[in-house]
Amino acid sequence: ATGIAIDVHSYGQAIVWPWGHIKKEAPEHIELQTLGRKMGYFGSYKPEQGSTSYQADGVSDDHYYGTLGVAAYTLELGTEFFEKCDYFESTLLSDNIPALVYAAKVARTPYLTPAGPEVHGVSVSYLSSLVREDEFITVTADVDDTRYNNVRGVEPSQNIVSCNYYIDIPPWMDGAIAIPMSALDGNFDSTSETVQASIDTSTFSAGTRYTIFVQATDDDGNVGAVSAVFFEKKKIQKIEGTIFSGATGQGGPLQDATVTIGTYSTQTDASGKYSFQIPEGSYDLTIQAPSHISFTLNDVDIATSSSTMKRDFNLVAVSDCTVNIDFESGASGWVNDEGASTCKTGTFVVGRPSKVTYRGVTTQVDGDHTTGNGKAFYTSPNSRTGTDDVDKGVCVATSEEYTIAVDSFVSIWYFYGEVVARNDVEDFFYLEMSTNKGASWIPFVHYNDETVNARWSEATTTVSAGTVSFRIRVSDGKNAGDLIEAGIDDIAICPFPKEVAAPKSQIPEEVAVAESKSIPSFDTSQLPLILLP
């Protein structure tokens, strides 16, 4: 008979089959037991005949099996009649969904297939780091003839003797073509094997999703359940370009810059050139190079066309930046504003922060941002928790005024940590900038009175050509018991880059050439890679 009936009950952590109303074994007891032990494996549920623990008249699995002949089971779910919702979602679902999925796989032949080896963990991977039109894919799977729950007797296991894959047509349908897979260790001689096959995708149609079915056989001739994986061959687009050093490319082609698109990565050659062949899609694009500002451009759409996509970029070098401060040589124009500060302790100093943790909350980081062992500008070193942190007022520090020749982006790394003992509206943190000589201040980072674990974070903003200065304010209000600390490091103000215009004959129509006004995300450990949409 074809089909499986499963009645889900609570509770008991068991999977039971006919007969339940009498102690006598059902005619297909061995086959029902095999599938029961298989389903019991996934959630460690006890497999047994329904009447083993107690006899019960009128149970549904007896009816389905006795009337229709289908393999029928009762799944006794969980440990109590009314489970808590979070336990159901976090545990019961994950314990039992695999058993139900397996039952669906073998429902066509429930009295035969469960005796065969189980295929699981089917995956597809590329053999090379870059996708090519003629690339092979690798299909890998685990095959196991031992995955049964054997708490009430041991299910026989046999060695695996073969495993095949099928493309698009499952093995039970007309037209299915079995293609052998190989044991990864070289021989089919065990009850569990890892199998693999390479598939030539050159005849696959781009943009079409294919199904790869995998099925194994043991040395008793038992053919197990099918598992499958999807594979879609995407259209391939060639992308190439040149990376130049400097905001205007004045440094010439940049060798050994790392260009990364999604999971694909390459380095520029001696002429600053790079090249990719990647599937169409949306990717994050990153360029990195020593002594340049690392930059990530998000959600770059790669659409296929008959021509090569040309993308040239200028990377802003550290030397291009108007401001580049790491505090290794001192405060670099930053001062405590004595007229605005009211705090009793916690004024800003240059030094190496040391980790401070109180009530499980980190309020001061361990080391500077640049190297972890250098200096930062922060609210005083601590001899012990709660000593020399910001106390009884606001600590204010300001930068000197910087003259910016062109529109630029700003990056400041900061940390802020606070342990809240009592709510206080006068507890806060602000990182601000002024473009009118301090007449007004614009915040671009702000925390109110809240528990915050200190960690180095990047604050970014933009500034137009002109003048700009920065201010940091951190305050501990009147209520006692709060612990508050803050600091800054690695400040950079750098011009926006421009994408280099290639000859129009080399640029697909969909590629726009424009100046970037996005804020780059960069790694100041090699400070200031910049790119363009």
Side-chain angles (χ1 to χ4, degrees):
T2 294
I4 296 175
I6 300 176
D7 192 354
V8 180
H9 276 203
S10 60
Y11 62 95
Q13 294 183 309
I15 179 78
V16 302
W17 57 86
W19 302 113
H21 69 287
I22 54 175
K23 293 290 186 178
K24 182 181 178 181
E25 292 181 349
E28 283 84 19
H29 173 78
I30 297 298
E31 291 81 3
L32 289 167
Q33 176 178 264
T34 297
L35 177 51
R37 287 173 173 172
K38 173 61 74 174
M39 293 173 65
Y41 167 83
F42 297 100
S44 297
Y45 275 29
K46 180 174 58 179
E48 62 185 20
Q49 182 176 325
S51 58
T52 301
S53 298
Y54 59 90
Q55 291 178 230
D57 292 333
V59 292
S60 60
D61 49 276
D62 281 9
H63 171 73
Y64 292 135
Y65 174 72
T67 304
L68 303 175
V70 300
Y73 296 85
T74 296
L75 177 59
E76 296 287 2
L77 202 67
T79 58
E80 53 186 284
F81 284 116
F82 299 101
E83 301 284 6
K84 294 180 180 179
C85 289
D86 58 349
Y87 177 72
F88 177 82
E89 293 176 351
S90 65
T91 303
L92 291 186
L93 279 178
S94 59
D95 281 353
N96 292 284
I97 288 295
L100 297 176
V101 169
Y102 182 84
K105 288 183 178 182
V106 302
R108 190 178 60 87
T109 51
Y111 296 119
L112 296 174
T113 304
E118 181 189 354
V119 176
H120 61 99
V122 185
S123 64
V124 173
S125 62
Y126 293 104
L127 292 177
S128 63
S129 59
L130 299 179
V131 180
R132 302 185 304 271
E133 290 285 3
D134 60 348
E135 183 164 33
F136 282 70
I137 60 172
T138 299
V139 179
T140 305
D142 293 316
V143 183
D144 201 320
D145 206 45
T146 68
R147 284 160 58 104
Y148 299 95
N149 187 325
N150 293 317
V151 297
R152 288 194 178 277
V154 177
E155 186 68 22
S157 298
Q158 295 81 34
N159 288 345
I160 314 301
V161 295
S162 67
C163 188
N164 298 314
Y165 74 87
Y166 305 77
I167 298 175
D168 272 353
I169 303 176
W172 59 85
M173 293 184 65
D174 292 340
I177 299 174
I179 306 172
M181 302 181 73
S182 301
L184 202 59
D185 62 3
N187 295 291
F188 284 107
D189 55 7
S190 174
T191 56
S192 61
E193 299 278 0
T194 298
V195 297
Q196 197 171 77
S198 294
I199 303 176
D200 183 358
T201 68
S202 60
T203 59
F204 285 40
S205 299
T208 300
R209 189 173 78 166
Y210 295 86
T211 305
I212 300 173
F213 300 93
V214 181
Q215 187 178 53
T217 303
D218 66 25
D219 62 8
D220 271 0
N222 299 310
V223 181
V226 164
S227 287
V229 65
F230 293 121
F231 166 70
E232 180 179 350
K233 181 178 179 180
K234 294 189 175 182
K235 297 178 180 178
I236 304 301
Q237 174 63 42
K238 185 175 182 180
I239 306 171
E240 63 182 27
T242 305
I243 307 300
F244 298 93
S245 175
T248 62
Q250 72 275 14
L254 183 58
Q255 185 177 1
D256 294 331
T258 300
V259 183
T260 303
I261 303 179
T263 59
Y264 307 102
S265 187
T266 190
Q267 285 190 307
T268 56
D269 62 16
S271 301
K273 296 185 180 299
Y274 71 92
S275 179
F276 285 99
Q277 293 186 80
I278 64 174
E280 63 180 356
S282 182
Y283 300 91
D284 292 341
L285 192 156
T286 299
I287 306 175
Q288 296 174 306
S291 301
H292 290 72
I293 302 177
S294 300
F295 177 83
T296 296
L297 187 66
N298 297 316
D299 301 323
V300 177
D301 288 326
I302 306 298
T304 54
S305 69
S306 57
S307 56
T308 299
M309 183 179 288
K310 180 80 170 178
R311 305 297 294 264
D312 295 346
F313 300 101
N314 296 335
L315 268 66
V316 172
V318 173
S319 57
D320 294 321
C321 297
T322 305
V323 175
N324 182 14
I325 298 171
D326 61 10
F327 296 105
E328 297 305 316
S329 301
S332 302
W334 281 78
V335 296
N336 287 288
D337 188 336
E338 295 181 0
S341 296
T342 60
C343 57
K344 301 300 182 183
T345 59
T347 53
F348 288 84
V349 299
V350 174
R352 185 190 184 279
S354 56
K355 187 174 183 179
V356 175
T357 301
Y358 181 59
R359 295 180 181 173
V361 178
T362 299
T363 57
Q364 187 175 115
V365 296
D366 186 20
D368 73 334
H369 172 259
T370 314
T371 64
N373 294 310
K375 298 175 182 178
F377 191 57
Y378 69 106
T379 54
S380 297
N382 296 96
S383 57
R384 62 181 183 273
T385 301
T387 301
D388 295 328
D389 62 311
V390 178
D391 255 334
K392 299 179 180 177
V394 59
C395 292
V396 183
T398 57
S399 74
E400 64 181 282
E401 187 175 73
Y402 307 111
T403 300
I404 309 300
V406 296
D407 294 353
S408 299
F409 63 87
V410 176
S411 170
I412 301 178
W413 287 85
Y414 73 93
F415 76 83
Y416 175 62
E418 177 181 354
V419 175
V420 177
R422 296 177 178 85
N423 292 332
D424 195 330
V425 294
E426 295 180 5
D427 292 351
F428 58 77
F429 172 85
Y430 281 92
L431 192 54
E432 304 164 304
M433 73 175 183
S434 175
T435 56
N436 55 11
K437 300 183 181 299
S440 61
W441 294 89
I442 304 167
F444 56 100
V445 179
H446 172 219
Y447 289 90
N448 287 318
D449 184 33
E450 56 187 289
T451 296
V452 180
N453 268 295
R455 63 182 180 88
W456 285 114
S457 302
E458 184 186 26
T460 57
T461 187
T462 60
V463 61
S464 301
T467 62
V468 64
S469 53
F470 300 95
R471 181 172 74 175
I472 182 172
R473 294 189 293 141
V474 56
S475 175
D476 180 27
K478 297 182 180 63
N479 291 337
D482 291 355
L483 190 60
I484 295 175
E485 302 181 79
I488 55 175
D489 198 8
D490 291 328
I491 302 170
I493 305 177
C494 307
F496 286 101
K498 290 184 177 180
E499 183 168 359
V500 182
K504 288 186 177 180
S505 61
Q506 297 182 22
I507 307 178
E509 292 182 2
E510 66 270 18
V511 180
V513 178
E515 183 174 358
S516 173
K517 291 295 184 181
S518 62
I519 300 173
S521 172
F522 60 92
D523 177 6
T524 48
S525 63
Q526 38 186 31
L527 230 121
L529 169 188
I530 289 200
L531 222 166
L532 250 244

